[in-house]
Amino acid sequence: MCSAKSDLTARARIRDAALVRFGVDGVAGASVRAIAADAGVSPALVVHHFGSKEGLRQACDEHVLAAMDSGDDLRGEALAEVLAAATPVRRYLARALLDGADAATALFDRIVERTERWLAEGETAGWVRPTADSRARAVVYVSWQLAPLLLGEQVGRLLGGDPAEASTATRGARAGLEMLTGGLFTDDHWLRTFTELDRGGRR
């Protein structure tokens, strides 16, 4: 009989194997048998823990959301460790969104909703500037974050590495944060122009 600790360890090992396998083959292309082999367990144990491949996918989604939260308040070496460990998460997320299933749509919606709350909390705390359209800000922010993964081959070609890997992801994130923190344009010409276009379109 397995102990509770070893049982939980097996569950995490299966989930991690599924993240990698789903990231490479997609959910439709990955089999429970292959995931079990990768994790070094029996297919029956996968079913025992997750019920089905769909249940395993849902567990992977929850792990992705938890991984996104884990880096919010980390600094220095701790954040570097999270980023280095997140490569399978980034690959899974890219493949899930590219596959375009209903589950991917639900995952994207949850990421946007969570990001909208996070940015709103930042406004309250004073480290995020206010906006007139919090939903649009969250959608665009998430889209910017995911774009390097979805355009992985092209982005990697120009940045010299896989965007799912920590070093390239960190390089891209730093460039993005530089723009988000310090700004890109030296005046508000384009902001005023598109603000007027947006107002006109809403009339």
Side-chain angles (χ1 to χ4, degrees), residues 23-202:
V24 174
D25 297 335
V27 174
S31 69
V32 169
R33 185 174 297 278
I35 293 167
D38 292 344
V41 301
S42 69
L45 190 61
V46 176
V47 175
H48 166 73
H49 280 296
F50 300 98
S52 65
K53 187 166 69 170
E54 175 59 19
L56 184 51
R57 183 203 60 75
Q58 290 174 6
C60 288
D61 283 358
E62 295 301 328
H63 183 68
V64 166
L65 293 168
M68 292 174 63
D69 287 342
S70 68
D72 285 351
D73 297 318
L74 298 176
R75 298 291 183 272
E77 292 182 2
L79 179 56
E81 290 176 3
V82 168
L83 290 171
T87 296
V89 170
R90 287 189 285 267
R91 288 199 174 118
Y92 170 82
L93 187 54
R95 184 60 188 255
L97 294 173
L98 285 172
D99 283 350
D102 290 343
T105 298
L107 178 60
F108 183 81
D109 288 352
R110 291 180 67 188
I111 292 172
V112 168
E113 289 165 5
R114 187 167 294 205
T115 299
E116 187 172 6
R117 289 196 303 271
W118 174 64
L119 292 171
E121 291 166 1
E123 276 195 35
T124 301
W127 52 269
V128 171
R129 292 188 177 93
T131 181
D133 192 342
S134 61
R135 172 46 62 97
R137 176 178 64 183
V139 171
V140 171
Y141 181 85
V142 170
S143 299
W144 283 351
Q145 295 291 312
L146 295 177
L149 295 175
L150 300 180
L151 296 170
E153 183 177 345
Q154 302 304 327
V155 171
R157 178 174 57 83
L158 295 176
L159 291 186
D162 183 347
E165 296 287 348
S167 58
T168 307
T170 300
R171 181 184 179 189
R174 194 204 66 79
L177 287 167
E178 181 180 54
M179 289 188 286
L180 290 170
T181 303
L184 179 63
F185 300 115
T186 58
D187 61 49
D188 65 353
H189 168 74
W190 288 110
L191 176 58
R192 286 185 286 106
T193 298
F194 278 87
T195 298
E196 290 301 318
L197 285 173
D198 186 38
R199 286 173 180 166
R202 296 190 190 192

